């Protein structure tokens, strides 16, 4: 694994949503809506080759077309496109990936090989990756205010971090946290965790005052 810390994923200043969609029932729509609706303090770049804008924000046909250096790319494209998108991200200097797309090791067979190839791309370009097959990441600190998940709620800020492998459990916990006013600093759904694991997050959070 690359030794780089996880700040590009947990404290990004620029986020690209690759697979951002105009269709309200898609994850690519919800992730972009959450970043905008919960007041992410950095810049957001929707990537969609078939739409000039998504959520009234100018969209780009590829991550390479974005004029800014992207810290974090949230990938929500069909599995057959994930490897090409990850390679494009690496070539564009993206430092962190959150791969929400499913269809990798968890399905066995060809999914295992696809995940192996994805990890090879990530490590060759010295990126760090949360996922695949995850629900995203969240940083509730007011300086960041990033909800890069498809959960419908944003918890208040508090002095605890939460990591979950299960997306369904993660959504449920975030719902209860918002309902009861339980604060979180950061939330990470790790999914298949071939690159960023719970151990990596514990090492990151050990020195985080929040």
């Amino acid at each position: 694994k690359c030794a780089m810390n996880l700040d590009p994923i947990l404290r990004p200043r620029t986020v690209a949503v690759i697979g951002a969609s105009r269709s309200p029932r898609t994850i690519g729509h919800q992730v972009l809506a959450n970043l905008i609706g919960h007041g992410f303090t950095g810049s957001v770049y929707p990537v969609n080759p078939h739409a000039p804008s998504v959520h009234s924000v100018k969209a780009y046909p590829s991550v390479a077309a974005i004029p800014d250096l992207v810290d974090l790319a949230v990938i929500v494209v069909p599995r057959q496109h994930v490897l090409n998108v990850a390679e494009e991200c690496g070539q564009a200097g993206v430092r962190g990936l959150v791969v929400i797309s499913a269809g990798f090791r968890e399905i066995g067979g060809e999914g295992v090989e696809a995940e192996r190839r994805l990890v090879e791309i990530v490590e060759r370009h010295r990126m760090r990756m949360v996922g695949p097959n995850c629900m995203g990441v969240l940083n509730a600190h007011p300086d960041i205010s990033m909800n890069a998940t498809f959960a419908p709620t944003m918890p208040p800020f508090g002095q605890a971090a939460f990591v979950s492998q299960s997306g369904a459990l993660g959504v449920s916990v975030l719902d209860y946290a918002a309902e009861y006013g339980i604060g979180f600093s950061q939330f990470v759904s790790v999914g298949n965790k071939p690159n960023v694991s719970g151990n990596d997050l514990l090492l990151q959070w050990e020195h985080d005052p929040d």
Side-chain angles (χ1 to χ4, degrees):
K1 289 182 186 178
C2 167
M4 184 185 79
N5 73 29
L6 303 181
D7 281 355
I9 292 172
L10 297 173
R11 305 178 65 87
R13 303 312 307 148
T14 47
V15 177
V17 180
I18 304 176
S21 172
R22 288 178 161 181
S23 176
R25 291 185 175 85
T26 61
I27 292 175
H29 181 93
Q30 186 63 46
V31 171
L32 185 65
N34 281 350
L35 282 164
I36 295 168
H38 295 295
F40 175 54
T41 59
S43 300
V44 180
Y45 297 99
V47 175
N48 182 325
H50 308 297
S53 62
V54 184
H55 274 298
S56 303
V57 179
K58 175 180 169 59
Y60 294 85
S62 69
V63 69
I66 295 171
D68 208 350
L69 185 63
V70 173
D71 290 330
L72 172 64
V74 182
I75 298 176
V76 279
V77 299
R79 188 195 76 181
Q80 64 266 29
H81 302 303
V82 169
L83 296 180
N84 286 339
V85 167
E87 180 65 39
E88 287 178 10
C89 287
Q91 292 181 7
V94 176
R95 296 188 297 154
L97 302 180
V98 170
V99 182
I100 290 176
S101 309
F104 291 89
R105 190 177 72 230
E106 78 280 2
I107 67 166
E110 63 183 20
V112 175
E113 173 61 14
E115 186 166 311
R116 186 197 65 75
R117 292 170 60 201
L118 175 60
V119 171
E120 186 276 323
I121 291 167
V122 167
E123 292 180 348
R124 177 160 42 84
H125 289 288
R126 295 184 63 78
M127 297 184 286
R128 295 307 304 268
M129 175 180 70
V130 169
N133 183 35
C134 73
M135 62 167 284
V137 301
L138 182 153
N139 187 333
H141 193 288
D143 290 348
I144 310 290
S145 194
M146 174 187 69
N147 186 342
T149 76
F150 55 83
T153 51
M154 177 83 163
F157 176 65
Q159 300 280 309
F162 182 78
V163 57
S164 170
Q165 185 174 22
S166 162
L169 176 66
V171 169
S172 180
V173 167
L174 291 177
D175 281 347
Y176 279 118
E179 182 179 349
Y180 294 111
I182 298 167
F184 282 126
S185 54
Q186 298 173 24
F187 164 84
V188 179
S189 160
V190 289
N192 294 1
K193 56 181 182 183
N195 184 259
V196 173
S197 68
N199 289 351
D200 293 310
L201 290 162
L202 289 174
L203 288 169
Q204 171 91 4
W205 289 334
E206 180 181 8
H207 305 290
D208 187 328
D210 296 325

